[in-house]
Amino acid sequence: MTVSGRGGNILVDTNISQHYRPAELPFLESIDSLSGRVANEYRPILTDFLNPRQLYILETIVNRYEGVSFQTFGGYSSAELKRAIAFPDYFVPKADDFNITAFQIDYPSKFATLSHGQILGSIMGTGIDRDVIGDIVTDGLNWQFMCESEMADYVRAQVDRIGKIKIKLKEISPEEIIIPVDESEEVTTTVASLRVDALVSEGFHISRHHAKELVEGGMIKINWEDAGRPDLEISIQDIISVRGFGRLVVQDIAGTTKKGKIRIVLKVYNRNK
C-alpha cells in the first residue's frame, strides 16, 4: 500500500485547473468533490481502479484537504492500477477495505494462447467500464486479473470465453497472485518539447516523423485512450502505449537545460528487446 498525506481545503479554480489537460478536468472535479465529502461526512470513500496519472491527480487534490488522507492498493504490492481510499483521521484502512478480487483464467494452455488485449477486450465486451478491472498479469503461461469485488460475481458469470477460447474464472487468494517481473529501464534524457511524438521518438529511438505517423494511425494511447494528435502535451505519470514498441511512463519532468531543452525521466518498457 502507498500512503500519502494531508493539507487544506480547496475549490477547483483556474489556478489549479490550468495545470491539467481539459479532458482531465471532470476527473479532477470528481476527486475534489470526493475529498470534500470525506471531510464533511467524516467517513471513508473508495474509488474505482485508477491509473498512475489519475493517482497523481488524486494525491495533488486530497493533500489540500485538512484532516483527509488516502491510501492506495491494487491487489498486490507493485500493482500499476490501484483503488484509493480517502479517509478522515480516525480510519485505518486494511487490505480487505479495498474490495479487490483476483481471478485466475483457467484455459486450455496446451492448445491456445492468450494476450492482454484479448482478455481486456472480452471483459469489456460484457458492458462493464474499464475502471472496474485492475492489472492483468502473466508469468508467460498463467493469466490473472484484478477486479472490483462489487462486480466480481457479474464478471464471473458473464466471462466464459476469451475470443473463441472457452475459459473459466477461478477466484484466487492474494498469496497466489503472480508478481510481474519489472523489465523496465529508467532513462534520463532531454526533449525539445513535451509533445507525445517527441517523447515517443526519444523513448524508442525512432524518427519524429515515424512517431507522428504512429499517433495519426491510432497506434498510440495515453492512459489507455487514443492520443488523438501528435502535439498533445504529456504530463507526469502519463502512460504512453505504442503498439509494437512498448510503453513509456513519465516519471519526472526535471526542469530545463541551459540550451532550453526539457529534462525528463522515463520508465521504458521495450517489447523489442
Side-chain angles (χ1 to χ4, degrees), residues 113-256:
T113 57
L114 300 180
S115 70
H116 185 285
Q118 282 180 318
I119 294 166
L120 183 59
S122 295
I123 297 171
M124 296 299 96
T126 66
I128 65 173
D129 293 332
R130 175 65 184 92
D131 52 18
V132 168
I133 303 300
D135 284 9
I136 299 172
V137 296
T138 184
D139 58 8
L141 180 65
N142 298 291
W143 286 88
Q144 302 170 350
F145 66 90
M146 312 304 136
C147 175
E148 292 184 0
S149 297
E150 301 93 319
M151 293 294 292
D153 287 344
Y154 177 82
V155 171
R156 187 192 289 109
Q158 294 293 319
V159 180
D160 59 1
R161 290 181 182 276
I162 304 294
K164 296 180 179 179
I165 304 166
K166 185 89 172 156
I167 64 103
K168 285 185 179 179
L169 297 182
K170 173 191 170 188
E171 187 173 333
I172 56 174
S173 68
E175 294 75 27
E176 296 175 277
I177 296 173
I178 296 164
I179 307 301
V181 177
D182 185 355
E183 296 181 338
S184 65
E185 176 187 2
E186 189 167 281
V187 175
T188 301
T189 186
T190 59
V191 288
S193 77
L194 293 173
R195 288 170 50 125
V196 60
D197 57 353
L199 270 68
V200 168
S201 172
E202 185 65 30
F204 293 118
H205 308 293
I206 61 176
S207 71
R208 186 80 170 263
H209 179 70
H210 188 188
K212 184 178 179 182
E213 286 181 332
L214 289 170
V215 176
E216 293 172 344
M219 305 289 279
I220 297 180
K221 293 183 180 293
I222 310 298
N223 303 323
W224 294 275
E225 300 286 343
D226 284 334
R229 60 181 208 275
D231 63 347
L232 182 72
E233 287 217 344
I234 300 304
S235 302
I236 291 175
Q237 291 302 325
D238 274 336
I239 296 178
I240 308 168
S241 304
V242 186
R243 195 181 306 170
F245 288 85
R247 295 191 306 156
L248 305 173
V249 182
V250 183
Q251 297 288 90
D252 193 18
I253 299 171
T256 56

Side-chain angles (χ1 to χ4, degrees), residues 34 43-48 71 83-86 97-99 150:
L34 178 149
R43 67 181 179 89
I45 298 178
L46 177 65
T47 71
D48 292 321
Q71 291 188 14
R83 302 189 79 174
I85 296 177
D97 293 322
F98 290 90
N99 288 359
E150 301 93 319

Side-chain angles (χ1 to χ4, degrees), residues 33-59:
S33 174
L34 178 149
S35 303
R37 286 171 58 205
V38 172
N40 294 330
E41 299 171 19
Y42 205 56
R43 67 181 179 89
I45 298 178
L46 177 65
T47 71
D48 292 321
F49 281 100
L50 305 178
N51 64 49
R53 175 63 180 170
Q54 291 172 323
L55 290 166
Y56 176 80
I57 294 172
L58 178 139
E59 179 176 4

